Amino acid sequence: MTKLRGLCIGAGYFAQYHLDAWQRMPDVEIVGICDLAPQKAKQASDQFGIARTFSETQSALDELTLDFVDIITPPDTHLLLVEQVAERGLPIICQKPLAPDFATATAIRDVVARTGVRFMVHENFRFQPWHREIKRLLDDGVIGRKLHNLHFRSRPGDGWSADAYLDRQPYFREMPRLLVHETGVHFIDTFRFLAGEIEEVYAVLRRLNPVIRGEDAGLLTFRFAAGAVGVWDANRYNECNDPDPRYTFGEFLVEGDGGSIRLYLDGRITVQPLGQDEREHKYEHRRHGFGGDCVYHTQRHFVEHLRDGGEFETNLPEYMKTLAIQEAVYQSAEQGSPVRPADVASVSADRPARRIIDLSLPINNDLRGAEVATKKTRAEHGWNATTLTLYSHCGTHMDAPRHFIDDGTPLDELSLDACCGPAKVLDLTPVEPRELLGVDRLAPWADTIGPGDRLFLRTDWHRRAGTDAYRDELPRVSIELARWLVEKRIALLGVEPPSVADVNNVAELTEVHQTLLGANVTIVEGLAHLDEIRCEEVEFVALPLKITDGDGSPVRAIAIEKTNC
């Protein structure tokens, strides 16, 4: 049998389970691993014997002959990656969460529908051996023909400490939606797998650990179309009494008109027909990989149906139903009343879809010109507070004319009109270190640039943030290009390097800044993640602090784009 050749994108924590599973399949060969951090790709390559490593997805797609792509990256990267892969016509298996929000998931669905590629969500809990076995028992009528209740109680206990999640998946701490978005969606999908479609949900969500952003505890109830009721009672703060809480992730009780099925933390299943004693039900499960080797079983399902043309259980049309239920959960928690997933799906379809891309570098002690120090603690003072010491042009920041013109407009008197509004993204990639960007580089857009325009020059230079090259080898705007932009009467220029000009050449630095600022062109420097923008035009927002007589200020810059552009 010919081996299927795959590319894995992402070499973070969970990639080890994917790669281990692929390695155990004789009819699959992973021929490349890609990660923005080359050292992570190299480590995975060495551990699993992968021939090629990449730090750029396009390079991997250009250079490899592939049969499929496995996307194992955080959810906010999925849309762009799916677009890049789908345009090549390659089948995709993609980790969950599928997207940061329902609108972006809808955009992914639309890309897949437009390109016609085969697509499976790597939703692996339904492939855990105990859930497959419980489904078989239900189908066989072991506890009757009418399902009454499903009750899953989960206490993984991995989120109670001050350093919660830092060792495994640190981005969990910053997710505005955590428990349901990251973990609960598994059980929504599994409940659908076992009991059919869900008509109504009611949810109470809480945050128990104050160091994280999202919710870490929840009580969710589901009303199924067939009449059953489901309960998911979970929090990541408290602990269970088993040494391996992440094996089954909890205890499960399934009740029908003929008896009960129980799943225990060690993977044991018992059956108790009405009027009889509980007895153990033997089946095969083992402690390999993650969750009873469910990653292997998920990927095996993908391979088998990729070969035979059968439909994936977690294809996009099916999985969008799960995501509509997830949205209903958050709506219910917010408004304190039951919500029908069908209403969420219809409202989302009618509402113009949009997504927000954060264009800002993080402010921390690793950022040049920034110092973040603890000032108060809850333990000692009753609240947490920090002292921020910021260079006015650190990180993602805005320049006021006062920066290079002594009598120029200070920050607090700067008109905010340029700071908010439509912006055009000009993709100049690839760029060379120290490249002097001339008028010719903007030639493809010359006829479309006019008065009042806001321009982003995409160079992907933000990927070098934290390195010496980020500051010392930056691509910069030539004086000719600066003058040309002034002639075009643009309102704002945004760049990814920390400056529009060479910071080690004071004469160049001064001339370019004075040319732009003297013509009231607002400058935003240190932008990030322009590579995540799909549209040629987005809505841009970047507001500076109101500093009296200020010459510049860090900003929180965002782009808002329609998902159907």
Side-chain angles (χ1 to χ4, degrees):
M1 181 181 292
T2 303
K3 287 188 176 183
L4 295 177
R5 296 165 56 89
L7 166 69
C8 288
I9 303 176
Y13 163 75
F14 207 79
Q16 62 182 313
Y17 300 112
H18 286 238
L19 294 169
D20 168 72
W22 292 128
Q23 192 177 54
R24 288 184 281 134
M25 297 184 194
D27 57 342
V28 173
E29 179 183 8
I30 299 303
V31 295
I33 178 76
C34 180
D35 196 282
L36 290 176
Q39 68 276 14
K40 288 186 178 180
K42 177 66 164 56
Q43 183 178 2
S45 170
D46 292 343
Q47 182 178 356
F48 294 99
I50 301 168
R52 302 286 305 277
T53 64
F54 300 86
S55 59
E56 297 283 348
T57 301
Q58 294 289 16
S59 298
L61 295 174
D62 287 341
E63 296 180 30
L64 298 174
T65 300
L66 298 168
D67 297 302
F68 71 91
V69 173
D70 183 7
I71 297 175
I72 329 168
T73 58
D76 58 354
T77 66
H78 289 173
L79 177 57
L80 179 63
L81 292 173
V82 169
E83 286 182 320
Q84 292 174 335
V85 176
E87 292 299 334
R88 310 290 184 112
L90 293 169
I92 299 168
I93 182 169
C94 182
Q95 251 299 340
K96 47 64 57 196
L98 179 61
D101 50 59
F102 194 77
T104 307
T106 301
I108 291 174
R109 180 202 63 191
D110 293 345
V111 170
V112 170
R114 173 174 55 81
T115 57
V117 298
R118 302 207 62 196
F119 190 98
M120 176 176 162
V121 180
H122 199 297
E123 179 50 77
N124 48 54
F125 272 44
R126 68 160 58 203
F127 290 97
Q128 290 175 346
W130 35 87
H131 294 315
R132 303 307 275 196
E133 187 65 12
I134 290 172
K135 174 65 170 174
R136 189 185 70 78
L137 292 174
L138 291 174
D139 289 346
D140 288 348
V142 170
I143 59 168
R145 292 298 174 183
K146 184 176 178 59
L147 190 59
H148 288 169
N149 301 298
L150 301 90
H151 190 135
F152 199 99
R153 182 178 182 274
S154 182
R155 297 291 187 274
D158 59 349
W160 58 267
S161 66
D163 60 355
Y165 314 115
L166 285 177
D167 63 335
R168 192 172 66 243
Q169 288 158 302
Y171 59 90
F172 277 11
R173 294 166 67 96
E174 299 302 321
M175 291 173 64
R177 294 177 167 187
L178 177 58
L179 180 71
V180 178
H181 187 67
E182 175 60 36
T183 308
V185 69
H186 286 305
F187 291 95
I188 293 171
D189 180 75
T190 300
F191 276 25
R192 288 185 58 234
F193 169 64
L194 295 174
E197 296 308 327
I198 294 171
E199 288 191 337
E200 187 178 82
V201 304
Y202 177 74
V204 177
L205 302 179
R206 296 182 294 161
R207 183 181 65 169
L208 302 180
N209 191 336
V211 304
I212 66 171
R213 185 178 174 191
E215 84 285 354
D216 56 1
L219 182 65
L220 282 56
T221 61
F222 306 96
R223 185 167 59 81
F224 292 87
V229 172
V231 176
W232 188 61
D233 171 13
N235 81 60
R236 300 190 72 142
Y237 190 98
N238 291 104
E239 299 172 312
C240 66
N241 58 358
D242 190 90
D244 187 6
R246 289 169 58 84
Y247 187 50
T248 65
F249 274 79
E251 300 165 295
F252 202 4
L253 172 63
V254 181
E255 298 173 319
D257 61 356
S260 305
I261 298 170
R262 292 177 176 85
L263 168 68
Y264 291 90
L265 287 160
D266 59 3
R268 284 181 301 121
I269 287 177
T270 66
V271 175
Q272 185 177 13
L274 291 178
Q276 300 182 32
D277 293 336
E278 179 184 25
R279 65 174 186 272
E280 185 170 353
H281 172 77
K282 298 292 186 180
Y283 74 108
E284 184 178 351
H285 63 100
R286 65 189 188 122
R287 295 179 184 270
H288 185 98
F290 174 80
D293 213 12
C294 64
V295 173
Y296 176 89
H297 297 304
T298 303
Q299 292 170 198
R300 196 64 228 163
H301 175 83
F302 174 76
V303 168
E304 288 170 358
H305 290 304
L306 199 57
R307 289 189 180 278
D308 66 19
E311 194 56 77
F312 303 128
E313 285 187 20
T314 54
N315 60 46
L316 266 180
E318 277 300 307
Y319 204 67
M320 291 301 292
K321 298 175 185 177
T322 293
L323 295 184
I325 298 165
Q326 176 185 274
E327 288 302 300
V329 166
Y330 282 108
Q331 271 193 31
S332 173
E334 182 177 352
Q335 64 193 39
S337 61
V339 173
R340 292 171 54 86
D343 296 337
V344 172
S346 62
V347 169
S348 298
D350 294 338
R351 182 185 300 148
R354 66 173 196 165
R355 70 185 190 113
I356 296 175
I357 302 107
D358 190 350
L359 305 181
S360 313
L361 293 170
I363 294 176
N364 52 42
N365 287 320
D366 293 328
L367 179 67
R368 184 187 181 105
E371 182 180 346
V372 183
T374 299
K375 180 66 174 178
K376 306 278 188 180
T377 65
R378 283 198 65 207
E380 184 177 354
H381 304 96
W383 66 90
N384 294 319
T386 53
T387 297
L388 305 178
T389 304
L390 302 175
Y391 175 57
S392 58
H393 299 269
C394 72
T396 306
H397 65 275
M398 183 176 293
D399 291 351
R402 179 67 59 87
H403 186 32
F404 273 90
I405 303 170
D406 290 339
D407 60 351
T409 304
L411 197 67
D412 56 317
E413 298 178 15
L414 197 65
S415 170
L416 298 181
D417 289 343
C419 304
C420 311
K424 297 176 179 177
V425 184
L426 312 185
D427 187 355
L428 305 184
T429 58
V431 297
E432 296 297 326
R434 299 190 176 91
E435 181 177 344
L436 191 62
L437 302 173
V439 176
D440 60 310
R441 285 297 242 119
L442 271 63
W445 303 277
D447 294 337
T448 66
I449 297 173
D453 278 351
R454 300 169 187 83
L455 305 181
F456 293 157
L457 305 186
R458 176 188 164 187
T459 58
D460 291 350
W461 202 251
H462 75 278
R463 297 177 183 175
R464 304 189 186 217
T467 69
D468 292 339
Y470 178 67
R471 185 175 186 273
D472 297 332
E473 299 179 18
L474 56 82
R476 71 255 200 232
V477 173
S478 68
I479 187 59
E480 292 77 20
L481 178 55
R483 290 169 180 159
W484 184 81
L485 293 170
V486 167
E487 291 173 4
K488 290 285 189 177
R489 298 168 56 197
I490 69 167
L492 179 142
L493 179 65
V495 298
E496 293 185 68
S499 175
V500 291
D502 185 352
V503 295
N504 298 311
N505 184 332
V506 175
E508 174 186 310
L509 194 69
T510 301
E511 187 175 18
V512 171
H513 274 91
Q514 287 185 343
T515 298
L516 293 168
L517 295 172
N520 293 317
V521 176
T522 300
I523 300 174
V524 180
E525 298 164 326
L527 290 170
H529 310 306
L530 294 181
D531 55 340
E532 294 183 19
I533 296 176
R534 302 166 49 250
C535 303
E536 295 179 358
E537 186 171 298
V538 295
E539 200 69 19
F540 176 61
V541 180
L543 298 175
L545 298 174
K546 193 172 184 177
I547 302 172
T548 302
D549 295 328
D551 51 78
S553 168
V555 298
R556 184 67 179 267
I558 64 170
I560 305 170
E561 71 173 1
K562 297 177 180 178
T563 58
N564 59 351
C565 64

